[in-house]
Amino acid sequence: MRRDLSRKAVPLIDATAPRGRGPGRSGERRRGVATLWILLSVPGVVIMLVFVTDIANIWLARIEATNALEASALAAVKQWKDAGNTPANRTNSRRAAVAYAAANTVLGQPVMLGLNQNTTSGDVNDNASPQGNVVLGEIRRSGGQTIFDASRSPTSSGNFAVRTQATVPVASLWSDFSGYSFGPYSVSVEAIALFRSGDEPRLVRIDRFEP
């Protein structure tokens, strides 16, 4: 009987030969690198979150403060013109400004204004300072510009004007986060209201302020 010599011998596997690394260990290395990058990026992500949320909080505070001062200026100028330009009514106008500001809140806190009044200073509108919270004056036009003049009485022109201004503190939402302090911040806003004869009280923008 003939033997079939065309068959090839099957090589034996050497159990002692070194084996290569399988795909499992390579995947573990990749996972380790990804974990490291995540850990390194966490502080940056947290800082970015702090700034984004605080900026949004500051923006909200600015909107609320502007609303408060606009209401304050409109109430004050209406009181001033309706009841006449007398020392007592200038006081009442300032009180109206303070009351309407306090009735509004910025991030839950009332807006507090000072009267900014000095009846013995000789100022025609009893302003203690042109930079105070409540400033009475006149709106006039000159050289194509709209000017708020705090040193002029509006009696003759009938252009009664009130400017309210304030700097409001804004606490950070992350004021004490993991031992790090952020803020506080502040926003400065102003509003100017005009009430002239034959018109209604309204908010205006000016080109120049003259103390």
Side-chain angles (χ1 to χ4, degrees):
M1 187 173 183
R2 293 184 177 180
R3 289 175 132 190
D4 186 356
L5 300 178
S6 63
R7 293 183 180 179
K8 295 182 179 179
V10 178
L12 297 176
I13 298 176
D14 187 356
T16 63
R19 299 181 181 179
R21 293 181 179 178
R25 296 199 177 185
S26 177
E28 289 176 2
R29 285 202 307 275
R30 286 196 295 269
R31 283 194 297 272
V33 171
T35 302
L36 177 61
W37 277 110
I38 291 173
L39 292 175
L40 291 175
S41 63
V42 165
V45 172
V46 171
I47 292 173
M48 185 178 296
L49 178 64
V50 168
F51 279 107
V52 168
T53 53
D54 271 358
I55 288 172
N57 198 44
I58 292 169
W59 186 255
L60 175 61
R62 179 176 292 279
I63 292 173
E64 292 180 340
T66 299
N67 290 339
L69 291 189
E70 287 178 350
S72 172
L74 287 168
V77 79
K78 187 176 190 307
Q79 171 67 35
W80 190 17
K81 186 176 187 309
D82 279 348
N85 188 20
T86 64
N89 194 45
R90 287 195 290 271
T91 299
N92 291 335
S93 173
R94 296 176 190 278
R95 288 175 176 168
V98 171
Y100 271 77
N104 290 268
T105 60
V106 174
L107 303 179
Q109 299 299 316
V111 179
M112 307 305 295
L113 301 181
L115 290 176
N116 187 40
Q117 182 178 35
N118 187 346
T119 57
T120 62
S121 65
D123 183 86
V124 68
N125 296 314
D126 300 334
N127 294 313
S129 167
Q131 303 305 322
N133 292 134
V134 183
V135 181
L136 309 186
E138 178 196 53
I139 291 287
R140 60 185 177 87
R141 294 280 298 176
S142 177
Q145 290 187 320
T146 300
I147 301 169
F148 185 106
D149 196 332
S151 65
R152 293 180 56 161
S153 169
T155 301
S156 58
S157 68
N159 295 333
F160 288 72
V162 174
R163 180 175 80 161
T164 53
Q165 56 187 356
T167 298
V168 181
V170 181
S172 171
L173 295 174
W174 310 82
S175 56
D176 188 12
F177 177 72
S178 298
Y180 295 95
S181 296
F182 298 91
Y185 313 103
S186 64
V187 293
S188 296
V189 295
E190 72 168 20
I192 297 174
L194 167 67
F195 192 4
R196 59 188 177 189
S197 302
D199 204 349
E200 293 293 325
R202 60 189 177 90
L203 298 169
V204 296
R205 294 184 179 275
I206 62 170
D207 299 304
R208 192 167 81 245
F209 175 83
E210 289 190 357

